[in-house]
Amino acid sequence: MTIPLIAGATLHPLVLPARADAADAGEFRELARVRNTVYREITGRREEDLTPEALLPILRSRPERTTVSWVVRIDDRIVGRAVVNIPHEEGSRVAVAMIELLPRVWGRGIGSAVLPHVEAVAREHGRTVIQNWNEQQPSDGPRIDSPTGFGSVPEDHVARFLVRHGFRLEQVYRVSHLELTAGALERAHELGAQARAASADYRVVQWMLPTPPERAAGYAWMKSRMSTDAPAAGLEMDEEKWDVDRLTAGEQRIAEMGRTVLVTAAEHIASGELCAFSELAIGPDTHEVTHQEDTLVLREHRGHRLGLLVKTAALLAWPQIAPGSPRVITYNAEENRPMLSINEAIGFTPTAYEGAWKKELT
């Protein structure tokens, strides 16, 4: 079904192919290319690039989440997309949505014409809140401060669009990079020794995905705690329920995407409980940038330098896994001072900022 928008643009429901290389996957592959172009033009980096094979599992609905996607066209050319994710957590009020357009078609009213369709899907699923995350281009102009008191974002085209349509900035994330030099690894070694001295009741355990069966339940529990223990400011974060089945399904998607993931965890020696973890991940090309994904220390085990312990242990192991990767990228809430202090000590430097926005639907 073609939905007319404005300025010659149209909206088309995206039909996902069975495989990214299927005979009918031409539109999807072009969508993946445009998606990567949007991110490159906004961020000036290519670290968020995804192959069609990696994007496809992300856009499929799954037991814990329904995903609705559209393609935006002008004439026969894809110029963007819109995606709505509906979490299935009990009692959730939230839809997570994005509208991504090539910057060259900004200012024509296309995003404003797409938004009501996004909101309609949220309402159809009984959701009263829409949230999204946007990295914005650096700017020397006016800024919008985070209500947390930590960080700000440019009051640019993206911010003005969101504010005009009823979104409120709730939180700012810092994007940081670490160059994987010999000096950085030496620093990680020194800091890791300090962390081990402060955490004598714990030991480091590591594994590559898929997770060994004896670690799956503990790892799934820590993944559940990511949704409750990480700083969320005024955002609504559903308490995610992870079990071994959900963990296994997620790891199967990661394998389909062609990603390699190292999990580094801290185990409490006396109880055998996993109580902190950090993930490093990279795509099929191990000469690309490494992504620092989830990192968490369970609240009841904080104060023993476990965050520093697992992050340094992960970095020291990573050159044996992806020796050609030049750097690591990570995202942290600006008010998450404990984790930022760890990153700064290791040598991560700020390179960009991302705003987390929220809209209450009426």
Side-chain angles (χ1 to χ4, degrees):
M1 178 180 66
T2 298
I3 303 170
L5 295 173
I6 196 172
T10 52
L11 191 65
H12 307 258
L14 175 64
V15 178
L16 294 177
R19 292 172 49 92
D21 60 357
D24 62 349
E27 178 184 57
F28 178 75
R29 297 183 72 85
E30 174 63 8
L31 175 68
R33 186 193 69 78
V34 171
R35 173 209 174 272
N36 292 344
T37 300
V38 170
Y39 280 103
R40 289 185 188 188
E41 292 189 6
I42 290 174
T43 69
R45 309 187 307 272
R46 50 180 293 178
E47 295 154 344
E48 299 301 327
D49 280 13
L50 290 174
T51 64
E53 289 76 14
L55 181 61
L56 184 56
I58 294 174
L59 293 182
R60 291 196 192 110
S61 293
R62 57 189 74 160
E64 68 271 13
R65 186 187 81 191
T66 295
T67 299
V68 179
S69 302
W70 295 275
V71 173
V72 181
R73 289 181 174 272
I74 294 179
D75 299 326
D76 291 329
R77 294 171 290 114
I78 295 176
V79 297
R81 66 175 187 146
V83 180
V84 186
N85 289 314
I86 307 292
H88 293 173
E89 310 301 338
E90 184 177 354
S92 177
R93 300 197 314 135
V94 175
V96 179
M98 63 187 77
I99 299 172
E100 298 172 350
L101 300 171
L102 291 169
R104 63 180 173 80
V105 303
W106 289 2
R108 304 185 190 183
I110 297 172
S112 296
V114 171
L115 184 58
H117 299 280
V118 168
E119 294 181 353
V121 169
R123 289 189 175 95
E124 287 167 9
H125 287 84
R127 304 312 159 101
T128 56
V129 173
I130 294 179
Q131 295 180 163
N132 61 28
W133 284 257
N134 296 276
E135 184 175 330
Q136 295 167 235
Q137 295 172 320
S139 171
D140 294 329
R143 303 186 69 83
I144 300 174
D145 292 327
S146 170
T148 65
F150 297 90
S152 63
V153 297
E155 190 177 353
D156 61 5
H157 176 87
V158 172
R160 290 192 297 271
F161 172 87
L162 291 165
V163 170
R164 185 168 67 251
H165 289 288
F167 287 84
R168 170 184 165 86
L169 179 68
E170 296 291 350
Q171 192 176 40
V172 173
Y173 281 75
R174 180 188 299 187
V175 185
S176 303
H177 286 78
L178 174 70
E179 298 297 320
L180 289 173
T181 62
L185 295 174
E186 178 60 29
R187 187 163 53 247
H189 178 77
E190 295 170 358
L191 292 168
Q194 297 174 21
R196 288 192 300 275
S199 57
D201 293 334
Y202 302 83
R203 59 174 161 239
V204 171
V205 294
Q206 293 179 304
W207 63 87
M208 306 295 297
L209 296 192
T211 297
E214 66 273 18
R215 298 293 184 192
Y219 184 30
W221 169 240
M222 292 193 296
K223 296 288 279 185
S224 295
R225 295 285 293 273
M226 274 297 300
S227 62
T228 59
D229 287 14
L235 299 168
E236 297 202 18
M237 305 302 290
D238 299 324
E239 183 176 356
E240 296 182 355
K241 305 295 186 183
W242 283 75
D243 56 17
V244 173
D245 288 342
R246 180 168 177 173
L247 184 72
T248 300
E251 292 183 357
Q252 289 171 345
R253 285 190 298 274
I254 290 169
E256 185 181 352
M257 294 170 69
R259 291 173 72 76
T260 297
V261 179
L262 169 69
V263 182
T264 301
E267 180 184 54
H268 186 238
I269 295 170
S271 66
E273 179 187 15
L274 294 179
C275 46
F277 76 102
S278 187
E279 302 163 339
L280 290 179
I282 198 165
D285 185 348
T286 57
H287 290 82
E288 292 291 347
V289 171
T290 296
H291 287 253
Q292 174 85 68
E293 299 195 337
D294 289 348
T295 297
L296 182 72
V297 179
L298 299 186
R299 292 182 187 274
E300 54 270 31
H301 290 275
R302 292 175 181 172
H304 303 282
R305 309 204 75 181
L306 297 182
L308 183 63
L309 180 72
V310 295
K311 292 195 85 164
T312 53
L315 288 170
L316 291 170
W318 194 244
Q320 284 71 54
I321 297 166
S325 181
R327 65 188 61 87
V328 181
I329 182 174
T330 188
Y331 295 75
N332 301 98
E334 272 291 285
E335 67 268 29
N336 191 353
R337 178 35 56 186
M339 196 59 68
L340 289 177
S341 293
I342 291 172
N343 288 344
E344 290 163 359
I346 291 171
F348 281 90
T349 56
T351 48
Y353 294 89
E354 181 180 78
W357 300 78
K358 173 182 172 181
K359 178 177 182 177
E360 297 271 1
L361 296 177
T362 56

